[in-house]
Amino acid sequence: MSGVKRDRDGNARVKPAPQDGPRGRFHDMFEGFRDELDEHHDRRERIIKASRDVTALSKKIVKHLGKGIPPGTQKDVDSKLEDIAKLLTSVAPDLQSLNRYRYSYSLRCLEEFVEALSFLHYLRHQTLISKGEVDAAMPADISLTPHDYLYGVFDLFGEMMRFATVTTAQMGELVGNEAGRNILSDIHELSCAYEMLPEIPTKDYRGKMEVMRQSVQKVEKLGYGIVVRGSERPKGWIPDMKDDAPAPTSP
Amino acid sequence: MASESTLLDPSIFEYLKDNLEEESRIRETLTQIIQRLERSVASAQALLSRVHSTPRSRYPTLVAQVETAIQEQVSVIGELNELASQHPYYKYNSKWARAIQNAISSAIVCAWLGGLPSVGTPSLGRLLTLEEIGAVFKVPTHLKDRDAFHITLEEYLLSLTDVTHELSRLATNAVTMGDFELPLTISAFIKDLFAGFQLLNLKNDILRKRADAVKYDVKRVEDVVYDLSLRGLIKRAGEGDTEMKSE
């Protein structure tokens, strides 16, 4: 059996011509069900679409930030944040009350969004954005779950690692401040905090932990390279990481 | 890290830790309740499976036993309702969805066999609606405006596909026990349900897969009815004077 075909937007569907002849005993009941299910599917598709776009925009923000925050970048980031706000606001009514968790899976963009916000925050303030600060930065009436926050910050490790690699190559030392903190000590501190959390027994969580550890190790290698060969290395040199064990890819 | 600024505000990870610990406590408690629900559902299903070797005259006795088992489910579901309603429904619902579906289908089959007189009018071959299922288990159904425990439309629809499967099996076994009328009732019932499923616009998900399988149940029952008709074992409407005689 096949349902009625619907277009990609999920709304314009060809209504079947009303059938003559006897209607089954449960016809009315199932017609009600059909309307409810259609409503659900339409809602989910709206969310998935917005989520996809928010994910793309968040990734673009992160990419821009890899270059630090010159004024031009700031403008770019702001305009992208505005677009994200519009998208999230458009689906906010679909995500109230019961429906917030119902469509969690379709709304994974929030993790990416948290990642972008946390990276932005780190570059500006050299601190980890708190859940409350992310909540305050949410541009729409959508509640952010602890899960979104936890997993979003997981992705911050990859960004810190990339940022550390690029800046080390440019400056010949690990970025840091006068007070003695640098990106290596920061990534260490953050990863220790994660290690101390109670373990969540899901594959997803274990995978994220593994990727996190790999990012930390890469930054450790950078620090090592500077100490051991610091004076010899020319600007633009980065430690050769090809001889790493099975080259892990970060998210 | 001797500096006035630190990366982490310690309260951030305290918050996350508390959150994770609370979540795992909730999951554990839910698991315990759901395990009891599963056991209780299994015993109702075990009783119901006797219908395949029970002549129709003895349905009332069997149905009464199943009703008692269902009452046990009602009380466990009450506990689940109480706990689950304190948390976002869809955060945990995958944990109990299967058990609830089985509970629903045992109630639907029980009512189909003439049971559960407390809800609606008991008769052989009736279908409990989603609302009636809610009345049986004393929980809300298909909530849209508030976040609390309830029975979802999807769970009800998935249960129906279990029911058609069970009844198609009953059609065969009824014949074996000499009941040639029951397959006709079953056939009409399953066909109407199948027609209902065909009205739905299904996505490529579990519901589509299960709804697609209903046609095999329809076919199984049709085959039984065909066998009976071929051998003249069922009375046709208007039969008697117009029956073809070979002499």
Side-chain angles (χ1 to χ4, degrees):
Chain A
M1 62 188 263
S2 68
V4 178
K5 295 286 183 215
R6 281 135 60 88
D7 69 11
R8 288 187 57 197
D9 300 330
N11 36 34
R13 73 191 129 75
V14 191
K15 284 257 178 197
Q19 284 168 359
D20 298 331
R23 286 157 70 95
R25 263 179 290 173
F26 312 128
H27 197 100
D28 293 343
M29 182 176 102
F30 273 89
E31 267 181 347
F33 292 164
R34 180 188 62 198
D35 294 344
E36 294 292 338
L37 285 178
D38 285 355
E39 201 183 293
H40 158 65
H41 289 140
D42 291 348
R43 203 184 298 125
R44 202 184 54 181
E45 270 170 35
R46 280 196 297 274
I47 294 169
I48 289 175
K49 259 198 215 157
S51 179
R52 204 172 43 208
D53 293 348
V54 171
T55 300
L57 285 164
S58 301
K59 283 191 190 295
K60 277 184 194 150
I61 291 179
V62 167
K63 216 176 138 206
H64 278 296
L65 291 177
K67 303 167 194 149
I69 327 182
T73 304
Q74 181 62 52
K75 235 180 84 192
D76 249 5
V77 168
D78 285 345
S79 86
K80 295 214 160 49
L81 285 175
E82 249 171 64
D83 291 345
I84 289 177
K86 271 185 218 140
L87 286 163
L88 288 179
T89 307
S90 74
V91 289
D94 290 324
L95 290 160
Q96 296 309 307
S97 166
L98 190 64
N99 287 336
R100 175 58 189 86
Y101 275 91
R102 186 176 192 185
Y103 301 104
S104 282
Y105 186 75
S106 309
L107 196 67
R108 276 163 301 162
C109 69
L110 289 185
E111 283 174 32
E112 303 291 336
F113 183 54
V114 170
E115 173 189 348
L117 287 179
S118 64
F119 192 38
L120 191 60
H121 188 93
Y122 178 72
L123 293 181
R124 277 190 188 143
H125 310 289
Q126 285 82 53
T127 55
L128 177 65
I129 196 167
S130 71
K131 168 81 163 55
E133 285 165 325
V134 183
D135 286 340
M138 267 304 277
D141 182 19
I142 299 173
S143 62
L144 196 93
T145 66
H147 180 281
D148 294 330
Y149 176 77
L150 186 73
Y151 279 68
V153 175
F154 251 135
D155 294 340
L156 178 60
F157 284 98
E159 298 319 321
M160 286 175 84
M161 182 273 289
R162 263 188 282 277
F163 185 71
T165 311
V166 171
T167 49
T168 306
Q170 287 165 346
M171 311 191 310
E173 57 179 18
L174 288 169
V175 276
N177 64 7
E178 314 76 45
R181 266 180 59 198
N182 64 25
I183 196 157
L184 176 58
S185 67
D186 283 352
I187 206 169
H188 267 154
E189 193 180 345
L190 189 55
S191 68
C192 287
Y194 264 87
E195 295 284 359
M196 281 167 75
L197 285 177
E199 198 182 340
I200 307 177
T202 61
K203 204 179 147 204
D204 198 20
Y205 190 81
R206 286 198 199 104
K208 291 258 185 191
M209 282 300 267
E210 211 30 63
V211 172
M212 175 194 87
R213 288 176 191 136
Q214 284 158 3
S215 294
V216 173
Q217 278 188 14
K218 284 182 191 168
V219 181
E220 286 171 351
K221 278 231 161 73
L222 289 173
Y224 170 85
I226 289 166
V227 170
V228 174
R229 293 174 286 243
S231 54
E232 305 159 14
R233 56 179 286 291
K235 277 205 166 188
W237 177 91
I238 49 162
D240 186 7
M241 288 196 254
K242 262 179 254 160
D243 39 342
D244 273 352
T249 49
S250 39
Chain B
M1 267 151 284
S3 76
E4 65 287 350
S5 72
T6 53
L7 173 72
L8 292 174
D9 177 348
S11 68
I12 295 177
F13 276 83
E14 272 162 34
Y15 160 80
L16 288 175
K17 181 165 165 279
D18 291 349
N19 192 275
L20 291 175
E21 281 172 351
E22 200 211 340
E23 191 176 321
S24 70
R25 264 200 306 278
I26 297 167
R27 282 188 190 277
E28 264 169 44
T29 321
L30 283 173
T31 305
Q32 282 165 11
I33 298 178
I34 292 163
Q35 273 174 355
R36 277 192 287 136
L37 178 61
E38 280 166 352
R39 274 199 291 274
S40 145
V41 170
S43 71
Q45 284 180 326
L47 282 169
L48 271 177
S49 71
R50 288 195 201 151
V51 75
H52 297 289
S53 50
T54 304
R56 217 201 293 189
S57 58
R58 295 219 302 272
Y59 280 1
T61 330
L62 177 66
V63 161
Q65 287 174 313
V66 178
E67 280 166 359
T68 317
I70 288 177
Q71 281 320 305
E72 204 184 306
Q73 293 173 20
V74 173
S75 82
V76 185
I77 289 177
E79 281 178 59
L80 183 59
N81 178 14
E82 204 173 301
L83 178 62
S85 290
Q86 297 165 17
H87 308 286
Y89 174 79
Y90 280 103
K91 186 169 180 187
Y92 300 108
N93 90 311
S94 60
K95 280 183 79 72
W96 60 69
R98 187 68 226 187
I100 288 287
Q101 278 165 41
N102 291 340
I104 300 171
S105 53
S106 65
I108 292 178
V109 174
C110 180
W112 194 93
L113 295 172
L116 294 172
S118 59
V119 176
T121 348
S123 66
L124 186 84
R126 72 165 168 150
L127 173 66
L128 284 186
T129 63
L130 178 56
E131 291 73 29
E132 285 167 339
I133 285 292
V136 170
F137 291 115
K138 302 193 173 74
V139 289
T141 54
H142 193 54
L143 281 186
K144 289 165 88 171
D145 48 348
R146 64 196 172 94
D147 194 351
F149 182 83
H150 62 283
I151 288 175
T152 66
L153 176 57
E154 285 88 347
E155 283 162 351
Y156 177 72
L157 286 171
L158 287 169
S159 302
L160 287 180
T161 64
D162 288 334
V163 171
T164 57
H165 188 79
E166 198 61 17
L167 290 181
S168 73
R169 188 178 154 215
L170 182 60
T172 321
N173 290 320
V175 172
T176 311
M177 283 180 295
D179 188 343
F180 300 155
E181 308 255 311
L182 198 63
L184 295 179
T185 315
I186 294 174
S187 174
F189 181 82
I190 294 188
K191 272 184 187 165
D192 282 345
L193 274 185
F194 181 59
F197 272 109
Q198 282 186 304
L199 290 173
L200 305 177
N201 300 314
L202 295 172
K203 293 280 166 182
N204 206 7
D205 57 9
I206 177 72
L207 187 54
R208 148 157 262 142
K209 208 172 135 198
R210 300 268 294 275
D212 278 352
V214 173
K215 64 171 173 281
Y216 299 108
D217 300 330
V218 173
K219 184 171 183 307
R220 272 214 285 178
V221 183
E222 275 177 350
D223 286 349
V224 171
V225 174
Y226 169 77
D227 281 342
L228 293 176
S229 320
L230 189 68
R231 292 164 181 80
L233 295 171
I234 35 181
K235 290 201 185 79
R236 288 187 187 79
E239 197 186 359
D241 40 280
T242 57
E243 196 186 357
M244 284 192 290
K245 297 253 160 64
S246 46
E247 32 306 276

